C-alpha cells in the first residue's frame, strides 16, 4: 500500500533579531523651552528641532530637577534627585559611588560604547591648585591633560571635552580649554592665541550691541564650539556605527555670554523680538530676594546677575536676538547630526533626545539668566524624543522631569541597576496612556553670595515654591495664571497647606550628607 505523500511541516522561522537601541542624547545649555517652534515660539529659529518633534513626541510640561548646570546634569546621568546623588550645587565633585550609579557606567554591561562630546560640567571647573580635585575638568588638571587622553571619564569610555564652553573658559588659549582648547591651537600656539582673541568682546564684529554680556563673536563659525561639538559627534557616530552606543552630545550654548558668530549674530532683528511683560510692582508680592536681584547685585557678581529690572527694552531686545541666534546655530548643527544618522541607515534604531539642563529668565519678572527663582523660564525645559517605541506627532501634557530619562534608557537597553537607586520613571508608558504623572520636584540649595534653600513641586494644576525656613513662598495656578504673575501664597492658606502636605508626603528624604564645594569658584 503506497504511502501518502504528506507534506512536511515547515519549521517555524526564528524571530527576527531586533537591533539594539542606540541612544543619542543631545543637550543645549540654559535654553528656554519656548524658544522652540514646537513649544510655541514665533521666532523661526528651530526648523530641524521642530521636524524632530513632528517625527516623535513632545513633553509639554517637562521640568529640570535643579536650575543650575552641574546638579541637573547629574540627575540626567543617574535618574536621581540632587538630594540623592549628592551634587547639590555647582562646584561639588562626585564620589566614586556617584560614578558607579551613572547610566553611562551601568550600560557598559550590555555591550554599549559610551561617548561624551562637548561641555560635561560633571565636576568642578573652578580649581586652580593641583590636588584639590581628581577630575580632568578642574583647571589645574586640564592644564596637564595628556595629548592622547580620551577617557575613561564618568562612565564614558571616550570623551572629547570643552572647559565650560563660555568665553573665556573653553576657548583657551591652550593648554586651557581641554580638548576643544587644544584643537583651537592645533596649528600652533600663535593661532590658538589669535582665535582666543577673536572670540573676545574687544574683537567683536560691528555693530556693537550695547547690552550686558552680548556681542557678535569674530571667531569664524568653523572654529566655534557649537560647530566643533557637531563635527566631533558626527565623526564619532561614523566610526562606531557597528556597535550599540550611548552618545551624549552637549552644546555649551545658548548660555551667556550671548556671543553668536556670523552669520548667526545677524540672523534676527532685535526689533522683531518678543519681550516679556515687566512690572517692578509685581515683585512686591514675591520673595524679597527677587526684588534685590532684579536691581542687580553688582560688584564681583555683576556678570552673574545684571539688573533685569533696570535694563531697557532696547537692550533686552538685543540680548534676545543674540540668544535666538545661538539657538538657531545649534538647530542648524542638530540637523547635520540627524542627517548623519539617516546617511548611515541607523535612524530607526536610534532613540534621539533633545533637551537642556535648565532654562533662562531672559527678562521674565524683571530677572535675567538664572538664580534662586523657580519660574517656568528657568525650570521648564524642552524634552523631545524620537525613535523606537516613540509614536510620531505625540504630545504629552503630564508633568515629567529630566530625572525620567535614565529609567527610559534602561527599559530600552535592558541595563541593570545592580542595586542603584533610580527615582525617575520610564516615559514609555505615557505613550500608551498607561500612566498619569501627578507631580515633579525641583530643588535649589543656593550658596553663591548668600544662602537659601528652595523646594518646588509642580502638579497638573499648581506650582508651589517653598523657601525653606522663610515666612514667604509662592503658589501659582498653572491653568489660570501660566505667566506666574499672581502669587497665591498668602491669599489661599488652605491651598498652601494642601500643597505643602503633598510635598512633605512625596519628596524623598536626603540620602547623603551635604559635602563642601571643591574649590573657591563654584563652577
Amino acid at each position: 500500500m503506497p504511502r501518502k505523500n504528506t507534506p512536511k511541516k515547515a519549521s517555524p522561522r526564528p524571530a527576527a533579531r531586533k537591533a539594539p537601541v542606540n541612544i543619542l542624547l543631545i543637550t543645549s545649555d540654559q535654553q528656554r523651552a519656548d524658544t522652540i517652534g514646537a513649544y510655541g515660539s514665533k521666532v523661526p529659529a528651530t526648523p530641524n528641532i521642530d521636524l524632530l518633534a513632528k517625527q516623535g513626541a513632545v513633553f509639554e510640561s517637562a521640568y529640570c530637577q535643579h536650575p543650575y548646570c552641574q546638579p541637573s546634569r547629574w540627575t540626567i546621568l543617574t535618574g536621581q534627585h540632587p538630594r540623592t546623588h549628592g551634587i547639590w550645587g555647582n562646584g561639588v565633585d562626585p564620589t566614586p559611588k556617584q560614578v558607579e550609579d551613572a547610566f553611562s557606567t551601568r550600560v557598559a554591561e550590555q555591550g554599549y560604547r559610551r561617548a561624551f562630546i562637548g561641555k560635561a560640567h560633571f565636576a568642578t571647573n573652578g580649581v586652580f591648585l593641583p590636588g584639590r580635585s581628581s577630575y580632568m575638568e578642574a583647571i589645574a588638571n586640564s592644564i596637564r591633560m595628556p595629548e592622547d587622553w580620551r577617557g575613561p571619564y564618568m562612565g564614558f569610555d571616550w570623551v572629547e571635552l570643552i572647559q565650560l564652553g563660555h568665553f573665556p573658559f573653553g576657548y583657551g588659549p591652550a593648554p586651557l580649554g581641554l580638548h576643544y582648547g587644544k584643537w583651537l591651537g592645533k596649528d600652533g600656539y600663535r593661532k590658538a592665541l589669535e582665535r582666543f582673541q577673536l572670540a573676545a568682546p574687544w574683537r567683536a564684529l560691528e555693530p556693537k550691541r550695547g547690552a550686558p554680556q552680548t556681542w557678535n563673536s569674530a571667531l569664524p563659525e568653523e572654529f566655534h564650539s557649537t560647530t566643533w561639538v557637531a563635527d566631533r559627534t558626527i565623526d564619532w557616530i561614523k566610526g562606531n556605527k557597528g556597535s550599540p552606543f550611548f552618545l551624549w552630545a552637549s552644546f555649551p550654548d545658548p548660555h551667556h555670554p550671548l556671543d553668536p558668530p556670523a552669520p548667526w549674530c545677524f540672523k534676527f532683528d532685535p526689533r522683531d523680538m518678543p519681550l516679556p511683560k515687566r512690572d517692578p510692582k509685581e515683585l512686591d508680592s514675591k520673595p524679597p530676594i527677587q526684588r534685590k536681584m532684579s536691581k542687580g547685585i553688582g560688584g564681583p557678581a555683576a556678570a552673574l546677575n545684571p539688573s533685569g529690572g533696570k535694563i531697557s527694552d532696547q537692550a533686552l531686545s538685543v540680548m534676545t536676538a543674540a540668544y535666538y541666534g545661538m539657538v538657531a546655530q545649534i538647530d542648524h548643527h542638530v540637523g547635520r547630526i540627524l542627517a548623519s544618522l539617516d546617511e548611515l541607515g541607523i535612524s530607526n534604531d536610534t532613540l534621539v533626545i533633545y533637551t537642556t539642563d535648565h532654562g533662562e529668565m531672559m527678562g521674565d519678572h524683571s530677572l535675567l539668566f538664572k538664580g534662586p527663582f523657580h519660574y517656568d523660564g528657568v525650570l521648564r525645559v524642552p524634552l523631545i524624543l524620537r525613535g523606537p517605541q516613540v509614536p510620531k506627532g505625540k504630545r504629552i501634557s503630564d508633568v515629567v522631569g529630566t530625572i525620567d530619562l535614565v529609567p527610559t534608557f534602561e527599559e530600552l537597553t535592558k541595563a541593570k541597576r545592580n542595586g542603584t537607586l533610580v527615582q525617575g520613571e520610564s516615559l514609555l508608558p505615557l505613550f500608551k496612556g498607561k500612566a498619569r504623572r501627578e507631580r515633579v520636584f525641583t530643588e535649589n540649595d543656593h550658596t553663591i553670595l548668600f544662602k537659601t534653600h528652595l523646594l518646588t513641586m509642580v502638579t497638573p494644576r499648581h506650582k508651589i515654591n517653598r523657601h525653606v525656613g522663610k515666612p514667604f513662598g509662592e503658589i501659582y495656578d498653572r491653568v489660570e495664571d501660566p505667566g506666574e504673575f499672581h502669587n497665591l501664597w498668602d491669599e489661599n492658606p488652605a491651598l498652601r497647606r494642601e500643597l505643602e502636605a503633598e510635598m512633605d508626603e512625596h519628596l524623598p528624604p536626603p540620602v547623603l550628607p551635604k559635602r563642601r564645594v571643591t574649590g573657591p569658584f563654584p563652577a
Side-chain angles (χ1 to χ4, degrees):
M1 188 174 174
R3 286 192 314 179
K4 289 184 180 177
N5 190 10
T6 306
K8 289 185 179 179
K9 216 171 185 181
S11 301
R13 284 186 181 179
R17 186 179 66 84
K18 287 185 177 180
V21 176
N22 303 313
I23 297 176
L24 173 58
L25 172 60
I26 305 174
T27 59
S28 57
D29 187 348
Q30 198 162 306
Q31 184 178 3
R32 294 174 62 102
D34 60 10
T35 58
I36 295 173
Y39 285 88
S41 175
K42 303 301 182 186
V43 180
T46 56
N48 293 297
I49 298 171
D50 294 339
L51 178 60
L52 182 73
K54 289 179 182 178
Q55 295 170 339
V58 175
F59 289 86
E60 298 171 333
S61 295
Y63 287 81
C64 60
Q65 275 52 74
H66 198 292
Y68 302 158
C69 299
Q70 198 180 338
S72 181
R73 289 160 184 265
W74 270 102
T75 290
I76 292 172
L77 194 57
T78 62
Q80 299 173 346
H81 288 285
R83 56 180 42 216
T84 300
H85 60 59
I87 314 300
W88 55 266
N90 285 352
V92 180
D93 272 356
T95 66
K97 176 63 167 64
Q98 271 97 60
V99 178
E100 289 176 12
D101 285 348
F103 174 76
S104 51
T105 299
R106 295 186 287 109
V107 77
E109 294 183 6
Q110 310 306 117
Y112 274 69
R113 296 291 309 277
R114 296 99 54 223
F116 187 98
I117 296 172
K119 175 186 174 179
H121 208 170
F122 293 136
T124 182
N125 287 263
V127 174
F128 299 87
L129 298 176
R132 292 292 297 272
S133 173
S134 61
Y135 295 106
M136 194 63 78
E137 290 179 80
I139 288 173
N141 298 334
S142 67
I143 292 172
R144 303 190 304 274
M145 186 184 78
E147 289 290 337
D148 59 350
W149 183 80
R150 296 293 184 275
Y153 192 68
M154 304 298 183
F156 296 94
D157 53 11
W158 180 274
V159 296
E160 297 182 57
L161 304 177
I162 293 176
Q163 192 118 43
L164 284 185
H166 328 302
F167 185 87
F169 296 105
Y171 287 92
L176 297 174
L178 294 170
H179 297 98
Y180 173 65
K182 289 183 181 295
W183 178 82
L184 283 177
K186 60 184 177 178
D187 44 4
Y189 182 76
R190 181 175 294 181
K191 286 291 187 180
L193 189 60
E194 177 184 328
R195 289 165 188 145
F196 177 78
Q197 296 279 346
L198 287 172
W202 54 84
R203 293 288 299 276
L205 299 175
E206 296 289 346
K208 297 296 189 285
R209 290 304 191 179
Q213 296 194 52
T214 306
W215 68 89
N216 301 329
S217 176
L219 183 72
E221 193 196 4
E222 64 184 290
F223 295 107
H224 195 271
S225 59
T226 295
T227 308
W228 183 84
V229 170
D231 287 348
R232 301 309 305 134
T233 296
I234 292 168
D235 285 349
W236 191 91
I237 293 172
K238 288 180 177 178
N240 291 271
K241 63 177 181 178
S243 305
F245 62 78
F246 169 46
L247 169 59
W248 185 340
S250 175
F251 293 102
D253 283 347
H255 189 292
H256 60 280
L258 309 175
D259 57 344
W264 309 102
C265 56
F266 305 122
K267 184 170 177 61
F268 299 110
D269 190 327
R271 294 171 295 185
D272 297 333
M273 291 299 99
L275 291 182
K277 173 184 174 183
R278 290 189 295 158
D279 180 4
K281 293 182 180 179
E282 174 212 338
L283 298 181
D284 291 346
S285 66
K286 306 294 182 71
I289 188 59
Q290 294 184 21
R291 292 195 298 274
K292 184 175 181 179
M293 295 189 78
S294 74
K295 297 173 182 176
I297 291 179
L304 297 174
N305 179 236
S307 170
K310 297 178 181 178
I311 191 172
S312 68
D313 283 352
Q314 180 181 0
L316 185 57
S317 296
V318 167
M319 295 177 73
T320 304
Y323 186 73
Y324 271 100
M326 298 163 86
V327 170
Q329 184 187 9
I330 292 170
D331 179 84
H332 169 74
H333 289 288
V334 167
R336 291 180 57 222
I337 293 171
L338 297 179
S340 74
L341 299 180
D342 293 338
E343 291 166 8
L344 294 169
I346 58 174
S347 290
N348 292 337
D349 299 326
T350 303
L351 176 71
V352 179
I353 307 95
Y354 187 86
T355 188
T356 191
D357 51 1
H358 56 78
E360 150 77 55
M361 290 303 297
M362 198 49 71
D364 285 358
H365 311 283
S366 299
L367 296 163
L368 292 171
F369 302 154
K370 56 185 180 287
F373 20 84
H374 284 192
Y375 292 108
D376 268 13
V378 170
L379 297 195
R380 182 171 171 249
V381 296
L383 183 58
I384 299 170
L385 275 67
R386 185 197 77 181
Q389 299 190 37
V390 180
K392 293 182 179 180
K394 187 79 171 178
R395 299 187 73 90
I396 304 290
S397 61
D398 291 66
V399 289
V400 300
T402 50
I403 195 171
D404 298 318
L405 286 174
V406 161
T408 305
F409 299 163
E410 289 174 333
E411 187 168 349
L412 289 170
T413 64
K414 311 302 181 187
K416 296 178 173 60
R417 293 190 176 176
N418 300 327
T420 296
L421 174 62
V422 175
Q423 295 168 304
E425 300 177 61
S426 173
L427 298 170
L428 299 182
L430 293 173
F431 297 139
K432 302 173 183 177
K434 293 183 178 180
R436 176 72 178 163
R437 299 296 178 84
E438 300 298 334
R439 65 196 65 82
V440 65
F441 293 103
T442 300
E443 184 168 14
N444 185 354
D445 208 344
H446 180 94
T447 60
I448 302 172
L449 298 179
F450 59 89
K451 294 182 179 181
T452 189
H453 191 181
L454 186 53
L455 291 172
T456 292
M457 181 179 70
V458 181
T459 72
R461 183 63 188 257
H462 294 103
K463 178 196 283 182
I464 177 171
N465 299 330
R466 177 190 283 177
H467 297 255
V468 178
K470 308 292 185 182
F472 48 77
E474 299 162 89
I475 295 176
Y476 301 106
D477 188 317
R478 298 182 62 230
V479 176
E480 299 293 331
D481 180 29
E484 302 175 299
F485 295 109
H486 188 188
N487 184 8
L488 302 173
W489 180 270
D490 287 325
E491 67 180 65
N492 196 334
L495 176 62
R496 185 177 76 227
R497 288 192 295 270
E498 177 185 331
L499 292 173
E500 286 188 310
E502 184 177 352
M503 178 181 281
D504 289 340
E505 179 182 356
H506 295 284
L507 182 68
V511 172
L512 297 171
K514 187 174 175 180
R515 302 194 306 280
R516 297 179 64 181
V517 294
T518 308
F521 179 54

